[in-house]
Amino acid sequence: MKVLKVTGNQKLTGSIRISGAKNSSVALIPATLLTNGVTTLCNVPDISDIDVLEKTLEYLNVSVKRASGSLLIDTKNLENKAIPEELSNKLRASYYFMAVLLARFKHVEMYFPGGCQIGSRPIDQTLKAFKLLGATIEEKDCLFVMDAKELKGAKIDLDMPSVGATINSIMVSVLAKGKTKITNAAKEPEITDLAIMLNKMGAKIKGAGTSTIEIEGVEELTGTNHDIIPDRIEAGTYTIIGALLGDYLKVDNIVPEHIKALTDKLEEMGANIDIHSDYLIIDNQNKLIKTDIATHEYPGFPTDLQQPFTTLLTQASGESHVEENIYENRFMNVLYLNKMGANIHQEGKKLTISGPTKLKGTKVEATDLRAGASLLIAALVADSNTEIKNIEHILRGYEQIVEKLTNVGAKIEIKEI
Ligand code: EPU
């Protein structure tokens, strides 16, 4: 079993370069299957979620060439096959294959998608959108069988601005006949990134990044070249680390607007942060004071930074509050933070954090990706050694995390035990 061993309380100085966005990549890779040709994606992070997608593409007879951050994907021999459950249950984003295979072949068979266990994570909004666009759907033992005689543009009013359902609706409607209007759409930057790539491929999408997206279907799409946007959650995670341990730590290759909800909060807490056009510098010179956050859809405070930010709040003076509004089970880091010396009280979807408290190293377990990031941050702050189990969760989403942190002065290594 692999564990992360961390010796805490080291000052971090130098520069960390942010990789391409996981949640863009996992949508853009399946989206290349909407074309019958070759697409090159640049800035693809080297994380295990991408390995699973690569295996899925190969299973569908798509040729993939991977070289230092880029993927060259040739779909000319694409075959429509039922994706085995052991691939689809590895990550949530596998259900983007439902959309692209439905759009291309009007028939798809796929199992319920996987993903971090952070709540119930239903897919009803995606299924509703597919039905409105003309698909019939049968479900048996978590296997979905979808068929459509014809896919036709529709009005899709989402019950909540779901990222996945917005992406799936776009991916089917770009090749459907006529016009589609998605209202109450999600506005996350990853959706804009997808629309930009699809428009380069010949799609006609307007309004991505707002809550109303309009799409005029086209006959076919062609391959293109596309640079994936920087990962705003990775950027946010290292910025939080910088506020705790940075000695003029540079977080490079960011889009400041994408992490504004975080940097606004850090400034309010008194952090010393200097934001430039595509990087920021942060240090831990200033004492941090309490604050409250409530997670919301973009541009609100991102749920994916809630757990890392909770660790930061254990080091702020006063009583802070966290409200998690997106997932019902995203507090599994709290048990371990308290074991390390934090003073966090949970009541339903709310946390009360009294700080600052000294954190001490111990044995902890990453239960999901961002819980893992939260514990890693705690381990970096702690005044003794920490061992983190189940680090596969962390490696799903953070490229070269050990190397990036070691380069700026952290004492951290992966050990086989
Ligand atoms: N929801 C429904 N029905 C649906 C879809 C969503 O009830 O059909 C609910 C979910 O249960 C959840 C909320 O709506 O409570 C938001 O879900 P959404 O569909 O927006 O999330 P997602 O597409 O499954 C993506 C990211 C998540 C990120 C969320 C919210 C990917 C692969 N995943 O998930 O990323 O938390 O958007 O921003 O893009 C992560 O990176 O750690 C992560 C979990």
Side-chain angles (χ1 to χ4, degrees):
M1 181 181 40
K2 280 185 184 154
V3 297
L4 258 184
K5 295 224 175 204
V6 184
T7 304
N9 211 7
Q10 312 291 317
K11 277 258 178 191
L12 304 181
T13 188
S15 176
I16 294 180
R17 190 173 168 82
I18 299 307
S19 305
K22 166 178 92 77
N23 288 346
S24 260
S25 305
V26 298
L28 270 56
I29 291 170
T32 64
L33 270 50
L34 291 166
T35 75
N36 184 6
V38 180
T39 295
T40 306
L41 295 175
C42 296
N43 276 338
V44 180
D46 187 5
I47 50 175
S48 56
D49 270 10
I50 303 298
D51 302 338
V52 178
L53 292 181
E54 193 180 340
K55 280 199 188 107
T56 311
L57 291 179
E58 281 164 357
Y59 175 80
L60 296 171
N61 212 23
V62 171
S63 136
V64 189
K65 291 200 180 96
R66 202 162 165 181
S68 66
S70 71
L71 278 186
L72 190 130
I73 301 171
D74 184 347
T75 64
K76 71 172 177 300
N77 297 321
L78 169 67
E79 277 177 52
N80 188 16
K81 295 195 277 183
I83 295 171
E85 197 169 9
E86 61 271 21
L87 282 176
S88 66
N89 71 10
K90 290 267 180 345
L91 71 168
R92 174 78 170 172
S94 57
Y95 76 158
Y96 296 144
F97 287 106
M98 277 183 185
V100 295
L101 294 174
L102 182 66
R104 285 289 304 276
F105 298 101
K106 301 190 177 57
H107 171 82
V108 54
E109 289 179 31
M110 221 192 94
Y111 289 90
F112 199 85
C116 285
Q117 302 299 310
I118 48 182
S120 60
R121 307 190 83 181
I123 64 167
D124 55 295
Q125 297 303 299
T126 284
L127 300 181
K128 168 174 129 173
F130 289 170
K131 283 181 191 159
L132 286 168
L133 290 162
T136 58
I137 303 175
E138 273 182 47
E139 189 201 338
K140 205 175 158 217
D141 301 329
C142 283
L143 176 73
F144 293 88
V145 181
M146 306 185 185
D147 285 286
K149 281 204 183 75
E150 185 181 46
L151 291 162
K152 263 194 188 163
K155 285 194 174 146
I156 302 169
D157 184 34
L158 296 175
D159 296 358
M160 79 279 298
S162 153
V163 172
T166 303
I167 289 177
N168 278 328
S169 303
I170 293 174
M171 295 209 282
V172 174
S173 47
V174 284
L175 290 180
K177 253 202 182 110
K179 291 187 179 162
T180 295
K181 187 171 180 178
I182 309 168
T183 47
N184 202 20
K187 297 184 279 200
E188 270 68 2
E190 293 76 23
I191 288 161
T192 312
D193 202 20
L194 172 74
I196 290 171
M197 183 183 82
L198 290 173
N199 281 344
K200 282 196 267 178
M201 291 171 156
K204 292 186 177 164
I205 307 168
K206 281 189 197 151
T210 75
S211 53
T212 303
I213 301 178
E214 291 182 275
I215 299 148
E216 206 182 311
V218 296
E219 286 283 320
E220 59 175 14
L221 300 176
T222 51
T224 189
N225 296 336
H226 187 76
D227 280 349
I228 286 166
I229 54 169
D231 194 307
R232 62 196 167 95
I233 307 303
E234 188 197 17
T237 304
Y238 289 120
T239 301
I240 290 169
I241 291 173
L244 290 165
L245 295 158
D247 181 7
Y248 295 96
L249 184 73
K250 181 176 181 185
V251 183
D252 198 12
N253 190 37
I254 62 167
V255 180
E257 192 194 325
H258 291 174
I259 53 167
K260 192 170 180 308
L262 170 71
T263 51
D264 282 355
K265 273 290 162 194
L266 289 171
E267 280 171 347
E268 183 194 313
M269 293 173 77
N272 192 16
I273 175 166
D274 199 3
I275 303 170
H276 297 258
S277 61
D278 65 352
Y279 69 95
L280 63 81
I281 309 245
I282 186 153
D283 65 43
N284 74 343
Q285 306 268 311
N286 297 354
K287 289 246 171 298
L288 299 172
I289 51 164
K290 68 177 171 74
T291 192
D292 298 338
I293 58 157
T295 63
H296 288 292
E297 295 84 9
Y298 188 82
F301 195 95
T303 172
D304 296 343
L305 285 176
Q306 177 266 109
Q307 290 163 305
F309 198 78
T310 296
T311 306
L312 176 92
L313 293 176
T314 68
Q315 303 306 299
S317 65
E319 192 178 280
S320 298
H321 299 99
V322 168
E323 184 176 315
E324 171 57 56
N325 292 309
I326 310 294
Y327 296 110
E328 63 267 24
N329 193 15
R330 219 174 195 183
F331 287 140
M332 288 193 285
N333 53 329
V334 168
L335 174 75
Y336 295 107
L337 289 176
N338 281 343
K339 189 177 168 198
M340 292 178 78
N343 182 356
I344 307 174
H345 177 72
Q346 183 190 344
E347 215 173 302
K349 62 175 192 171
K350 294 185 181 172
L351 300 179
T352 303
I353 300 138
S354 306
T357 48
K358 268 205 172 311
L359 298 182
K360 56 183 188 311
T362 181
K363 290 188 176 181
V364 297
E365 207 170 307
T367 52
D368 56 83
L369 168 57
R370 309 301 172 188
S374 158
L375 297 176
L376 174 56
I377 299 169
L380 291 168
V381 173
D383 55 13
S384 46
N385 297 344
T386 303
E387 185 180 294
I388 307 178
K389 279 209 300 197
N390 286 347
I391 60 165
E392 318 71 59
H393 287 298
I394 303 177
L395 303 179
R396 281 187 56 190
Y398 291 91
E399 181 178 48
Q400 296 194 322
I401 191 161
V402 172
E403 293 82 352
K404 287 187 185 188
L405 284 168
T406 305
N407 284 343
V408 295
K411 290 198 171 154
I412 163 172
E413 57 180 340
I414 294 181
K415 282 251 177 200
E416 196 76 46
I417 60 165

